[in-house]
Amino acid sequence: VVGAATYRSEWTVDQQNYFYRGSKRLVITINDQIPGPMISVYEGDKIEIFVQNVLITAATTIHWHGMDQRGTNFMDGVPDVTECGIKPNSNFTYVFDAIPAGTHWYHSHSGAQYMDGHFGPMIIRSRDDPQKSLYDSDSDDHVIILNDWFDDPGEELIIDLINGLFTGGPVSDIPFDQALVNGYIGKYTG
């Protein structure tokens, strides 16, 4: 691709105690934040993400939701299907082309880690966007990422779901406790 660049970043996946609504909750962060860092590139750019897993007992992966992964299916982030998980105290470098353009996200496909904070936004812009003249501005500050948030750890909720303890809610099989907007709490009132 003419004008293609390489986006490089180093990420550390870790567990931390966060305090939400007056209680402590163990979460999974990328570079100490929820959501993880935003990726903002142009279509055709190469993305290289070095991931260091410092989780104590769990492997991790990152699935790049919406990326074609033609010729790089082993970078797709699905453990035991397209790749091995990144074991604790190990690292892996994801390298793939940013195709197609659009608003995407990334998240862990290991266990229920995305429910515990392991996700983030990924914006792939088109160099020749036919709608570009309609924008007042095109800024990463305008990106909003929403997610459901649970007071209990994701792995516990999955076990409860398997055991039939949830019959579904208005939005998902597991009723969530609140919504996060760019990592900040906003109470869901259903």
Side-chain angles (χ1 to χ4, degrees):
V1 174
V2 175
T6 299
Y7 171 90
R8 290 183 178 93
S9 191
E10 294 186 8
W11 294 358
T12 300
V13 176
D14 198 1
Q15 283 185 314
Q16 297 181 17
N17 284 312
Y18 268 39
F19 292 88
Y20 286 117
R21 300 192 317 163
S23 62
K24 185 169 62 172
R25 164 91 155 77
L26 195 60
V27 299
I28 298 177
T29 61
I30 301 173
N31 291 356
D32 300 324
Q33 64 188 59
I34 297 174
M38 179 168 14
I39 297 173
S40 181
V41 299
Y42 282 95
E43 186 174 27
D45 286 354
K46 185 169 291 302
I47 296 175
E48 293 182 11
I49 307 288
F50 173 85
V51 178
Q52 178 70 41
N53 179 9
V54 298
L55 298 173
I56 296 170
T57 60
T60 193
T61 61
I62 301 177
H63 172 65
W64 313 97
H65 212 83
M67 295 294 96
D68 287 347
Q69 299 295 3
R70 290 191 180 118
T72 55
N73 66 320
F74 47 91
M75 298 287 167
D76 197 41
V78 182
D80 303 321
V81 177
T82 59
E83 68 175 83
C84 297
I86 307 167
K87 294 181 181 179
N89 297 309
S90 297
N91 60 68
F92 182 77
T93 301
Y94 288 95
V95 181
F96 58 94
D97 293 331
I99 298 171
T103 303
H104 306 281
W105 69 305
Y106 60 84
H107 59 90
S108 176
H109 254 300
S110 297
Q113 291 177 359
Y114 87 93
M115 294 172 72
D116 294 330
H118 190 328
F119 64 91
M122 183 168 52
I123 308 302
I124 313 297
R125 289 181 170 80
S126 173
R127 283 185 170 77
D128 55 350
D129 183 351
Q131 306 298 323
K132 190 169 186 159
S133 65
L134 301 176
Y135 305 158
D136 289 333
S137 66
D138 184 13
S139 169
D140 290 342
D141 292 335
H142 298 156
V143 174
I144 297 173
I145 188 164
L146 308 170
N147 71 291
D148 40 8
W149 191 254
F150 307 92
D151 290 339
D152 296 318
E155 291 293 336
E156 290 179 19
L157 294 169
I158 296 300
I159 291 168
D160 289 348
L161 179 66
I162 291 168
N163 289 326
L165 298 180
F166 298 113
T167 58
V171 178
S172 70
D173 289 336
I174 303 174
F176 58 92
D177 297 302
Q178 56 207 351
L180 297 186
V181 179
N182 290 350
Y184 295 97
I185 294 175
K187 180 66 177 158
Y188 174 71
T189 58

